Amino acid sequence: MDYKKTLNLPVTKFPMKANLTRREPEQLKLWEEYRLYDNIRNVSKGREMFILHDGPPYANGNIHIGTALNKILKDIIVRSRQMSGFDAVYVPGWDCHGLPIEHNVDKELGSKKKNISQTDFRRLCRSYAEKYINIQREEFKRLGVMGEWDNPYLTMNYNYESIIARECCKFALDNSLFRSKKPIHWCCSCKTALAEAEIEHHDEPSPSIFVKFPLIDDPGIPALKDKKVNLIIWTTTPWTLPANLAVAIHPDFVYAVVETGDDEVFILAKDLVDSCMRIFGISDFSIIAEIDAKKLEHKKCRHPLYNRESLIILAVHVTLDAGTGCVHTAPGHGREDYEIGLLYELDPYSPVNEKGCFTDDVEFFKGQFVFKANNGIIDKLQETGALVAQESISHSYPHCWRCKKPVIFRATPQWFISMDKTGLREKALDEIDRVEWIPAWGRERIYGMIKNRPDWCVSRQRAWGVPITLFYCEKCESVFINHETVNKISELFEKHGADVWFEKQAGEFLSQNAVCQKCGHNKFIKETDILDVWFDSGVSHAAVLEERSNLKWPADLYLEGSDQHRGWFHSSLLTAVGTRGRAPYKSVLTHGFVVDAEGRKMSKSVGNVIAPKKVIDRYGAEILRLWVSASDYRDDIRISENILQQLSDSYRRIRNTCRFMLGNLYDYDPKTDRVPYESMPDIDKFALHKLQGLIEKTLKAYETFEFHVIYHALYNYCTLDLSAFYLDILKDRLYTSPPQSIERRSAQTVMYIILDSVVRIMAPILSFTAEEVWKFMPDIKEKESSVHLSFLPKANESWKNEKLAQKWEAIIRVRGEVTKALEEARAKKKIGHSLDAVVTISANKELYEELYAYEEDLRTIFIISGASLIKGEKLDKAYKSTDIEGLDILVEPASSDKCERCWIHDPSVGLNSERPTICSRCEKVLEELKLGG
RNA sequence: GGGCCUGUAGCUCAGUUCGGUUAGAGCGCACGCCUGAUAAGCGUGAGGUCGAUGGUUCAAUUCCAUCCAGGCCCA
């Protein structure tokens, strides 16, 4: 007879092979048809809200691995908060305006660009953004990210555009917004001001020149009488010399007066004399005096090219790293130059036009492109004898992020939001301390940035964006805006979008009797600059959180990469504090960047980029989700083929563990077969105790967003607690007992409870697989149609039993020693399978008493054919435990025959003449089965 | 150059808060068992001068300093 047929072996259609790349899209389709997201909303009505407000990715290009990381993290959080009992609405968004899209539309248009109207151009930008929104939306959905994909927020929606304009006007109405000339990064090729975020630094070859600035005033040193005294400056931007207004020296440095032959002397920082003279090729020199820098302040030099004075000023940004310690200062062409210029009341003089060419103001070089003018200027300096030395160097220089060309500093009229006029900086700093920053160092990071940042330049001279909806007086240039006009603009934008600003005349927005407050004039100029896109996304709290009835302000959480301390967290904070006095978020979570196996950043040029699509096509989105969960995202996180392969392996392990439990639940009905806790054997109670530990640990980790803790806990639970221990031991009971026996039903009850908990715990992370398992689980009345409609498990206090657990932990330790002893016997070819062995365990008194209570069960627990326990005797030839004192383990091959049914070697085998190959235990079961049917 | 952060086995993570016995886990690897979770399952074992160097200390992976490597942001 084939006794195998009398066993209860696992049966399941749940496939061992995940086939994620095929099955995931099918699952997504089912969820969509079933309208899962809407169903979740319906059942969550009235629950407390948890709002993670999405930072909008830019609507350009395909998503990259960093975007995937970000969106998956958000999804895990939203799903886990939802399953914790919140109503966790997720409204994804896109950032739609801005230079990159303009550039790409430009590129597509090519030469046709010249004949196109601004309105048509903006229309093309809009449809370009739409195209990529659709592409990215599909990519995000494919990752398993759940949200309001049918109704995302777009910064180019008419309603959104109208709110951008409204929020911008709020700054104007309280006088925070002002117009001022200030040097800003300027791209001569794009003809636009650039924000900090639009600048990249690359190495660039530059001329490096040393120039004499003859001192006009008497320095008051007798030795210098009748000498030609020159301050020597160093610059790598000769083209800024025409705009020179000052020479800066450090107040604490000592300056040397160096005689170089004939009647000429140089003044430069004492510490730099030797290195400079080497560059100048002057070997015959002597220091004839030293000057305290402070004595030179306010003295004047003559400009080396023009009949003009240049003031000597003191500045701490002067360094000894390079140059001469005397710094050429052009307040219209440099950030620090401008700042120090303010103190000395110097003009931000900037005689350069928008194309980067000198204006007519500039004698000798007018009309020349500044970078091309460098050589001419050097020649001219040579000609006038002002040039001391000339080299070429390569150094880090700012470049435009789009066209990659070097940029210049140029003073132009721009719109600024003042950081200090209305106390924005101070209020923002206060608010930072009311926000929870995760990790905590995020606070230091953004605090430092807000503390030190200059006024926010919000204007751009471009086409694709929301205009700064302000007017200024045709006559006196003072700003004109009032509530009535703001409302009118808002209404029009709401109806027609921001395009209407460019299509209508100024008068159409203003009332007939509008009059300049300052000069009484009644004609106004409409500003045509557009807003920095950081302002667009920065007001999402107003345009999304406040506008949608299913959201709330402030958000519970913002979650982005750590670059957003300067980006979106920053602009959101400023717009919210400036208009509402509060931060728009209660907490801010940041993640690191995705780097390669060596910890280096990904870049196309290095060729170490891993695209999410590649991972999905090869492994499935589930593996990418598992990767996100397995990594500690607070630091940079690595991805590589090796890492993905490893995750793939652990995924299979988790999957198979679920599959095994499903297979053993094929005939289990939780309604009728559930065994009460009190009737369970201790090992089952212990299994339930261990499960409570897992639940507590993972719930806490979800609470604190430490998903890698969940991954490790879940994975170790599956391999160690379940696969290698509980489930392995359970096999005998599950397979050989009568199907409806209490011992088998007890095991099934526990497995059902475990599987139910495990599947809920994994649902926020392994969303596809959890749903797949959920569908294969035995149905019960209360069971939701999707795991994502259910809740995370709750720890059951009454199943926690610390005392019992301690006993079992001791048994597990002994078990570890037994397996070592078995392995030793196996190596000596005494046994093969552990069931071939019988074991004698000799333990000291203490351990003996602990084990004694379970003497009958040791055989099962160790998965061997027999275990006998003796107290304190030394066993010859036994395995001596090194880890547990007084423990000897003697392994011997079982002498009895092996039961053909349960594979256990038992003396009862052969006693029954009808079934000579069967043990008495199985004999009983077979009898029972016969009676049953 | 400045601000913020990171560096524990081949990989993913623990541990270090308040310094103190042989620094843990799993994967991977090697070897073995099983063939009733089977393109599965079980077991044993080998892997770490805790980025480097100095300092404080009876004692440092843990505290301090410097350096090196890497990341983000800025210059």
Side-chain angles (χ1 to χ4, degrees), chain A residues 843-907:
Chain A
N844 63 22
K845 187 168 172 280
E846 209 180 326
L847 185 59
Y848 176 86
E849 272 155 22
E850 270 186 89
L851 295 176
Y852 183 73
Y854 291 100
E855 191 180 14
E856 291 302 308
D857 301 321
L858 292 179
R859 187 185 67 76
T860 318
I861 296 165
F862 301 153
I863 315 182
I864 52 183
S865 278
S868 49
L869 192 59
I870 56 174
K871 184 156 57 171
E873 277 174 52
K874 280 264 169 275
L875 292 170
D876 279 349
K877 293 181 186 168
Y879 169 85
K880 308 250 184 294
S881 170
T882 48
D883 291 359
I884 300 175
E885 215 187 297
L887 178 67
D888 288 5
I889 298 160
L890 181 66
V891 177
E892 293 165 303
S895 52
S896 321
D897 284 338
K898 177 177 171 182
C899 170
E900 203 182 312
R901 183 165 177 273
C902 71
W903 290 350
I904 290 170
H905 295 260
D906 193 86

Side-chain angles (χ1 to χ4, degrees), chain A residues 7-10 660-661 664-667 726-727 729-739 741 743-749 751 901:
Chain A
L7 294 170
N8 319 298
L9 294 177
F660 177 77
M661 290 191 279
N664 283 293
L665 288 168
Y666 70 93
D667 64 337
Y726 184 60
L727 296 180
I729 291 168
L730 229 47
K731 283 173 195 165
D732 176 69
R733 196 182 343 153
L734 286 166
Y735 299 167
T736 66
S737 309
S741 61
E743 57 267 30
R744 180 155 178 276
R745 290 305 190 206
S746 175
Q748 287 179 311
T749 302
M751 276 195 308
R901 183 165 177 273

Side-chain angles (χ1 to χ4, degrees), chain A residues 152 198 290 294 298 513 549 589 704:
Chain A
E198 294 166 331
E290 286 178 6
K294 293 182 188 92
H298 298 303
N513 51 4
S549 60
L589 187 60
T704 53

